[in-house]
Structures are given as C-alpha cells and as structure tokens.
Amino acid sequence: MKARRVRGVVAALAAVMVTSLAAACGGGGTTAEGGASAPAGGAAEKSELRLGFFPNITHSTALVGVEKGFYTKALGDNVTLKTTTFNAGPAAIEAVFSGAIDATYIGPNPAINAWEKSKGTAIKIVAGAASGGVYLIVKPEINTIEDLKGKKVATPQLGNTQDVALRYYLDEKGIKTDTKGGGEVSIVPQENSQTLQTFATGDIDAAWVPEPFASRLIQESGGKILIDERDLWPNKQFVITHLIVRQEWAKEHPDLVKKLVEGHVESTAYINSDPAGASAAVNSQLEKLTGKPLKPEVLDSAFKNITFTNDPIASSLTGSADHAIKVGLLKPIDLNGIYDLTTLNGILSAKGETAVSDK
C-alpha cells in the first residue's frame, strides 16, 4: 500500500515537472481558434491604448468620451485606456514622435507640422472632432482691424493654429508683422491662461483665442468680439480639433484604431443629442484635470459656439497649410495621404450615416 502511494506521488511530481518545462519553453498557453495564444486559464492578455488630449472645450469629444466611459466601453475589458493631457500641440506631437502616446486630439497646424517633419510617416488623421469656437477678442475702444496698429495681440503659441490665422488675416489686410513681436501689430505668443491676466491688466489689447478663453475674456474683462473666425471660411466651417493616430501603432493595432474611433463616434453622437449632459460631463472632467470647473455662464457660452462633428473638414486643413506657408511659418507641403478615414466611414456606414470626405 505504501509502495503504491509512493509511485503515485512520483507520477504526480513528474507530471508537474513536464508541465513546467513545457511552459518554460513557450508551450504553456492555449490558442483559441483563429486567435492569439492566451495564458493558461483562458484569460486574454491585457493591452493598452494611450490617448492624448487637451483640458479644453475644443477637445470636448475626448472629455465627454472619458467622463461617460465611451472609450472604455468600446475598448472592452482587455484593453486599458491611459490618458495624458497636454497644453500645446507641439508637446503632444513630441509624445507621438517618441512613442509615448498612440493617438491624440489636436489642432490642424500641429498635425500639418508633424506630417511635414516626418515626411508623411508619423501620423494619420482618422476623424474630425470640432469646428469653430475661435475669435479675435479686443478691448472696447477697438472697432476695426486698423485700430490694432501699434497694439499688442496675443496668440496661444508661435505657429499654432490661432497664431497662423491671425498672421494670415493681418497679412491679407496689408498689416505687417514678424515672428519677434515687431511690425505694425505686435503679436505676443503666450499661454491662454496668461492671456486672461494680461488682457485684464491691459498689457495686451486683443487676443485670437479658442473657447472657453474667448468667452472668459468677454465676461471677466469686458472684451468684445471683433472677428468670429467662422466668418472667414466657406460655410462657416473649419477644423479646430481632429483625432490623429501614430502610424506605426495603427498598422500594428488596426483593431484598437477601430475601437478608438467607435468610442469617438459615440461621444460625438452623445454631445449632439444631449448638449446639456455633454457640457456637464465636460465640466466634470475639467474639474478633475485642472481642479477648477468653468463657471456655468462661461461653459454655456463656449459650448454653444463650437460644432462637434466627425467630419474633419479636410478643405480647411489645406487652407490652414496655405496660410502658414504664406506667412512664412511652413514650407510648401504635399498633404496627400494625411487622412485615413476608412475606419471612420465604415463605422458611419454601419450606422446608416453619411460618409465624410478627405478632400
């Protein structure tokens, strides 16, 4: 009896050793039909999607998507969403270039610059996000663009989308500027949060800024709208935010690109179907990210000034590039291939919605 017990123990130990050796040699997992190898026990290996965006009203698609869980729902249980916030386009693009993030919401000019610097190898635009919501806000005594001569006008950053728009507009009006703050109108690139202070103190006389900073300059410091940038574009539409992905990552993970865009489309649909709920979700995220929510009157004013859309309004991207070239902030560039809207249009088609164009 004892001998049989000993033989049983030895057999069990041998079985364990064989199993351990197989696992060490890479044979410890099981493979589902048509799928990848999974760890013993059937649990799928977790992956990660790293998404960037700005804590800004023009990035409401991302803010709502995170707050309401649309991305998490689309990604499923086996993909972890990791988010990173940025204050300016160049920082987000550097994170893309370094491989620190996989996708990000961003403005048109940083995307153009990324395409140009990488010779078309770094990024693809996979969806539109927002249009409009940008204004030239001025002091009450300024009534025409000519009144800006000899004055200081703020933009968020040299070469960013609003900076290009201002320089191009002034150039079209025959008003000279340069990148060092000289010329007939002195352009002063500074962070939007700083612009709120310098406008209030009178250190600057105007600012070409996106929401919610435009509404805050009006409500908090008595500014007024001199130019609504929508009036400068066909059909009053121009891209202010879109979604880009890192090309290398997208090629390796087309399934995750699809899930990301699915979450994006659901977030856009929610914003347009329930603006009140969406703006509340935006403010909740802003409070979590910055520690300070927007005042209700600012939130309401800013939110209604932006159109949230899956359409990247591709023609305006080409226009933005032409403007940057005209003012000497970009070399001539071929944007052919910068869009990949195949996934987006497939999702829209499945929902019975109209496809969007890359022209």
Side-chain angles (χ1 to χ4, degrees), residues 160-211:
N160 98 312
T161 303
Q162 288 79 52
D163 187 72
V164 168
L166 172 61
R167 292 176 191 277
Y168 178 76
Y169 184 79
L170 292 175
D171 184 73
E172 286 289 285
K173 297 299 180 181
I175 299 175
K176 299 184 182 303
T177 65
D178 63 40
T179 57
K180 297 181 180 180
E184 295 175 285
V185 173
S186 176
I187 298 178
V188 185
Q190 57 188 221
E191 290 187 7
N192 290 322
S193 57
Q194 183 182 357
T195 293
L196 295 173
Q197 301 171 1
T198 53
F199 190 86
T201 59
D203 291 326
I204 61 169
D205 307 283
W208 196 294
V209 288
E211 291 287 16

Side-chain angles (χ1 to χ4, degrees), residues 97-241:
F97 281 177
S98 70
I101 59 174
D102 307 310
T104 188
Y105 286 85
I106 204 162
N109 285 87
I112 292 169
N113 290 335
W115 183 260
E116 189 270 335
K117 288 180 181 178
S118 70
K119 298 184 179 355
T121 64
I123 63 105
K124 288 280 189 179
I125 300 169
V126 295
S131 169
V134 182
Y135 301 87
L136 176 59
I137 307 299
V138 299
K139 293 289 188 181
E141 63 271 16
I142 296 174
N143 297 306
T144 69
I145 200 70
E146 294 291 327
D147 292 340
L148 288 177
K149 289 184 177 180
K151 309 290 187 183
K152 292 182 179 180
V153 184
T155 63
Q157 189 173 37
L158 176 64
N160 98 312
T161 303
Q162 288 79 52
D163 187 72
V164 168
L166 172 61
R167 292 176 191 277
Y168 178 76
Y169 184 79
L170 292 175
D171 184 73
E172 286 289 285
K173 297 299 180 181
I175 299 175
K176 299 184 182 303
T177 65
D178 63 40
T179 57
K180 297 181 180 180
E184 295 175 285
V185 173
S186 176
I187 298 178
V188 185
Q190 57 188 221
E191 290 187 7
N192 290 322
S193 57
Q194 183 182 357
T195 293
L196 295 173
Q197 301 171 1
T198 53
F199 190 86
T201 59
D203 291 326
I204 61 169
D205 307 283
W208 196 294
V209 288
E211 291 287 16
F213 300 99
S215 289
R216 289 189 64 181
L217 290 176
I218 294 169
Q219 295 183 21
E220 298 172 10
S221 299
K224 69 178 184 181
I225 297 172
L226 184 64
I227 296 171
D228 179 341
E229 192 175 338
R230 288 176 293 193
D231 295 334
L232 307 180
W233 293 93
N235 302 316
K236 295 182 179 292
Q237 293 183 323
F238 66 98
V239 60
I240 183 63
T241 308

Side-chain angles (χ1 to χ4, degrees), residues 1-23:
M1 187 71 176
K2 289 183 179 179
R4 283 198 296 270
R5 284 178 184 162
V6 170
R7 285 197 296 271
V9 170
V10 171
L13 287 173
V16 169
M17 291 175 66
V18 168
T19 302
S20 300
L21 181 60

